[in-house]
Amino acid sequence: MSDDYPSLLRSEQMSLVQLFVPTEVAHDAVAELGELGNVQFKDLNPNVNPFQRSFVGEIRRVDEMGRRVRFFSTQIEQEKDVVPIRPLYDSAPLIVVGPRAPQAMDELDVTLAAHEQRLTQMNESYQKLSERTKELIEARHVLRETAVFFDKAHHQTDIRTSFDDSSAPLLQHDDRENQYSVGTGVQFDLEFVAGTIERVRVPTFERVLWRVLRGNLYMNHTDILEPFVDPVTGAETRKNVFIIFAHGDALLAKIRKVAESMGATLYPIDANADKRSESLREVEGRLEDLQNVLYNTGSSRRTELTKIGESLRSWQDVVRKEKLIYETLNLFNFDVRRKTLIAEGWVPTRDITTIQLALRHATSRAPACLPFYMSFTIMDSYGVASYQEVNPGLFAVITFPFLFAVMFGDIGHGFIIFVAALYMILAERKLARVDLGEIMGQFFYGRYIILLMGLFSMYTGLMYNDIFSKSLHIWHSAWDFPSNTTDTKIVGIDNGHRYSFGLDPGWHGADNNLVFVNSYKMKMSVVLGVIHMTFALCLQFPNHLKFKRPIDIYANFIPQMIFLQSIFGYLVICILYKWSVDWSKATTQPPSLLNMLISMFLSPGKVDPSEQLYAGQPFVQVVLLLLAAICVPWLLVTKPYLAWKDMHKIKEQGYVSISGEGDGNGIHRNSSDEVLEGEEEGNGRAIAEDGDDGEHEQHDFGEVVIHQVIHTIEFCLGCISHTASYLRLWALSLAHAQLSEVLWSMTLEAWLEPTGVFEWIVLIVMGVFWFVLTVFILCLMEGLSAFLHALRLHWVEANSKHFEGGGYAFTPLTFANPDSKE
Amino acid sequence: MPSVLPILFVLVIAVGLMACAALFTPKGPQQVLIRTSLMLALAACYLMWMVTYLAQLHPLIGTPPSTA
């Protein structure tokens, strides 16, 4: 019927194909297959070290190119102003297949190397220049600050008149004033050391100098206001300018040593003011030049990067594809005799013709007309356990939202969820590009399921007749309430109608509302649960048919079905029957179904006539009980017994096949290469092998027995516990309804008839409060809770009835890049 | 007079709709999915309606008193 398309029911049929590829066109063929993206290649050289494979050299070269491309992209990212990168769909394509391919790759290699060299050169010179600039700036600061010191000092000349002349060099007076100035600490006789040091080190510096020079120094320091920024790391350091006045060469030498050990930078400053201003001018001039050069270097670097940015994406793409191609080529087997490469891979059977076309296209670009052919080996079920198993996900698309809705059941809340999902779907394209974060991303990912959940919730809300904890009165109710004001308790009267869709609104607000509704919901949960489990069990059947396991049908499926139906199917039928009987006109009392089921087990064959559900009940119940009782040993024993019989048959015939005639029914014999070689070499070996085989069989048989015991116990006990587990459908819907009612009665109910302005305000506030709590608690929290429980019901109760789930996903070679942002 | 007939009536309608879904789903890559979903949804909705209707057909608890 629908064989043309893959369906959700089963995984696709796969074929194992072998390709014989001439070496010249191998690269292009793999490129073409990669573009298609539906072949998964097998590794035909599993024992070969990655460093010994044939295409290691090419991979190394491509890796080098990849490193360069990564270097470029990090450099571009580091630029403060954004460098435009031309997106992939806009870039000129690089042709890497066809006759000119090797040339193109070589050119690319050379281009990348040249760009890298230029960039690194520019980076180095930029760094050197920045360092130089930093030094010059420090020198300028030192010059400025020392000028301040000297100015201050000049204004304090009241003692030495000879220093009115500011240009007189200090050193001239050194010897003469020595006898006067020792110990007085006046600055002008003394020589000085000036420089910069990090601010944090200043106190230490002062202390060390004080100790070393025994106080024979005068130190002054100021902060440099702007911090220095390291161009490479971007770290900021704050420095101070210091100037130290001391007397004597020895002291000065000591100061210099201490300064250098503390990491200070010393600058030669002249005492003469004119000379100082000259140096300042020089420094400023050099600084300006350096800034110019820096600026030029920066801008030429930018142009270089822009040029790189034009082709960066296409280079990245080419490098990535080439790497994938060569890695894939490494998986192939090189056939020396025919000078071809042999590849094996998995392909969806449907796509085989597309692949043939693609390969033909690839090879048509080859200059020489080399022969090219493909051989098929189609093997289904290659050993992957759930290849082509029935996929329960297909049915869960509907059953999951439905079971969720049974637990959620409110028209209003369902509507809110529906609208939220609708918004996400309509705004799909916009939201898909934004990074929504983990939680919102999950909600967005499941928007279609959430839509279905909302829809079904509105339906079950209609069934439960619950809209924001109120009920609708659409059709004719079954109950009339007389407007009788004498009694405090009003009793409704049955008027013969039955409410067409859902729960009668007469129950809303009634005292015994919960008694009725609980009974209804519990029974409904059991009914739905048994039907869901039966459905899941039936999914075993197509699996057994597909995999040609008729034994499983008779040994597993049928006894399980009979066991489930004879107890719980019977219960469901009783529930439905009991509902359909008009007990006010029946001759017997309506029996309690729970007691009925229990006494069916505890006292089979005895049913109190005044409490029987239908005539002939004892007999029917005994029959059903016996059926169930037979099913247990049936399930337990059949498969192991058949396996044991098989084993004996093989054992007897095992001796026959050793003489080399070949097996007809060697189902359990391993036909691996070593065993067959062993047979050829000698009989002596074969007997030992058979002994091994026999033990192997014992081992297998033991496993089968254990597996079957576990399976039987799991199933039989599981039937009971899973049926009870479905009662959570009742429990959660009850909790939801009660929460909804409580929320209403505690917020809005008291304020619904506002009289004054104050009451209006309170009404509005309460209304907002009610809405917020509805969305967050009732929709989100209860929604997540119901989601979880519905999922659990599917995974445990339903899937344990049929699902094997041992396959692995198909990962084809594909060039489509899921991380690409374009 | 409350009777079981509406249940059978609606059952026939539901089965009819399911048959339509089975036969008339347009062919395409999602045919199996759409068909299965429609049929399952119809079956599930009918089931729930049927249980709700049946439960109220002959209510065991006499009549709902109201304190309003």
Side-chain angles (χ1 to χ4, degrees), chain A residues 58-72 104-110 112-113 315 318-319 322:
Chain A
E58 277 82 356
I59 290 189
R60 244 186 236 132
R61 192 171 77 144
V62 172
D63 265 341
E64 184 69 16
M65 288 201 272
R67 184 192 59 81
R68 290 199 180 114
V69 168
R70 272 195 303 277
F71 172 65
F72 295 149
M105 287 303 285
D106 287 334
E107 275 174 22
L108 183 63
D109 206 4
V110 165
L112 289 178
W315 289 341
V318 164
V319 163
E322 287 294 303

Side-chain angles (χ1 to χ4, degrees), chain B residues 28-47:
Chain B
Q30 307 292 354
Q31 186 196 23
V32 171
L33 179 62
I34 298 177
R35 197 168 58 196
T36 317
S37 303
L38 277 176
M39 290 174 75
L40 257 184
L42 281 167
C45 289
Y46 168 74
L47 206 56

Side-chain angles (χ1 to χ4, degrees), chain A residues 658-659 669 675 678-679 682-692:
Chain A
I658 287 172
S659 61
R669 274 188 73 89
V675 172
E679 280 185 292
N683 289 339
R685 248 189 102 199
I687 296 177
E689 269 176 2
D690 186 59
D692 271 347

Side-chain angles (χ1 to χ4, degrees), chain A residues 143-448:
Chain A
L143 281 169
R144 284 210 193 114
E145 300 305 325
T146 49
V148 173
F149 291 149
F150 284 115
D151 277 342
K152 269 203 309 209
H154 280 297
H155 291 140
Q156 289 175 14
T157 53
D158 43 23
I159 309 171
R160 314 265 168 199
T161 53
S162 54
F163 293 104
D164 285 334
D165 182 8
S166 62
S167 58
L170 291 168
L171 295 174
Q172 271 184 8
H173 301 270
D174 186 62
D175 289 322
R176 211 171 4 113
E177 308 305 324
N178 208 6
Q179 60 263 40
Y180 304 121
S181 61
V182 164
T184 57
V186 179
Q187 49 239 59
F188 301 97
D189 295 2
L190 309 175
E191 293 144 345
F192 59 90
V193 173
T196 59
I197 188 172
E198 278 180 40
R199 198 166 297 170
V200 291
R201 298 234 175 118
V202 169
T204 331
F205 190 39
E206 281 182 319
R207 263 205 309 279
V208 171
L209 279 176
W210 188 263
R211 284 199 202 119
V212 167
L213 304 174
R214 294 174 230 258
N216 289 329
L217 80 157
Y218 175 73
M219 177 168 168
N220 204 338
H221 63 92
T222 38
D223 297 348
I224 299 180
L225 294 168
E226 313 94 35
F228 289 97
V229 181
D230 188 353
V232 174
T233 60
E236 290 185 345
T237 41
R238 286 158 203 278
K239 293 204 171 181
N240 287 16
V241 176
F242 64 88
I243 179 163
I244 308 175
F245 293 91
H247 176 66
D249 285 329
L251 288 182
L252 288 173
K254 274 194 202 155
I255 294 174
R256 288 205 184 89
K257 275 215 195 89
V258 169
E260 264 159 49
S261 75
M262 295 234 66
T265 335
L266 299 175
Y267 291 93
I269 305 291
D270 211 287
N272 188 322
D274 281 342
K275 293 223 182 90
R276 274 207 306 277
S277 41
E278 212 183 285
S279 324
L280 191 60
R281 271 198 299 276
E282 212 186 295
V283 163
E284 300 230 335
R286 285 226 291 278
L287 209 50
E288 239 182 81
D289 289 337
L290 268 184
Q291 304 278 31
N292 272 335
V293 175
L294 268 179
Y295 180 73
N296 286 336
T297 316
S299 60
S300 56
R301 181 165 178 266
R302 254 193 88 76
T303 36
E304 182 79 19
L305 283 177
T306 325
K307 211 156 46 115
I308 292 178
E310 291 273 307
S311 342
L312 185 64
R313 286 283 177 249
S314 69
W315 289 341
Q316 279 176 332
D317 191 49
V318 164
V319 163
R320 189 177 54 89
K321 282 188 188 166
E322 287 294 303
K323 183 128 189 248
L324 276 176
I325 292 179
Y326 282 114
E327 279 174 353
T328 314
L329 284 174
N330 268 343
L331 301 175
F332 295 178
N333 198 356
F334 185 62
D335 186 353
V336 192
R337 282 177 290 137
R338 285 178 267 178
K339 290 209 85 195
T340 56
L341 288 165
I342 307 179
E344 264 188 23
W346 288 107
V347 168
T349 315
R350 209 173 17 98
D351 286 335
I352 289 183
T353 37
T354 353
I355 294 196
Q356 275 176 310
L357 277 173
L359 288 168
R360 205 160 292 146
H361 180 232
T363 56
S364 65
R365 285 187 247 126
C369 290
L370 296 161
F372 187 95
Y373 61 99
M374 220 153 103
S375 79
F376 287 92
T377 43
I378 296 181
M379 292 178 226
D380 291 340
S381 301
Y382 195 61
V384 176
S386 359
Y387 171 56
Q388 299 245 307
E389 187 188 33
V390 165
N391 175 15
L394 172 63
F395 307 104
V397 169
I398 291 293
T399 56
F400 174 78
F402 180 71
L403 287 182
F404 169 88
V406 172
M407 293 192 265
F408 200 66
D410 187 306
I411 300 178
H413 302 149
F415 183 68
I416 291 178
I417 292 182
F418 176 71
V419 163
L422 198 63
Y423 166 69
M424 282 199 284
I425 292 177
L426 291 177
E428 223 167 29
R429 315 193 97 227
K430 188 178 60 152
L431 288 174
R433 270 184 238 128
V434 179
D435 181 21
L436 293 165
E438 227 179 291
I439 299 181
M440 285 310 294
Q442 289 283 50
F443 279 122
F444 179 68
Y445 187 68
R447 56 197 181 279
Y448 288 103

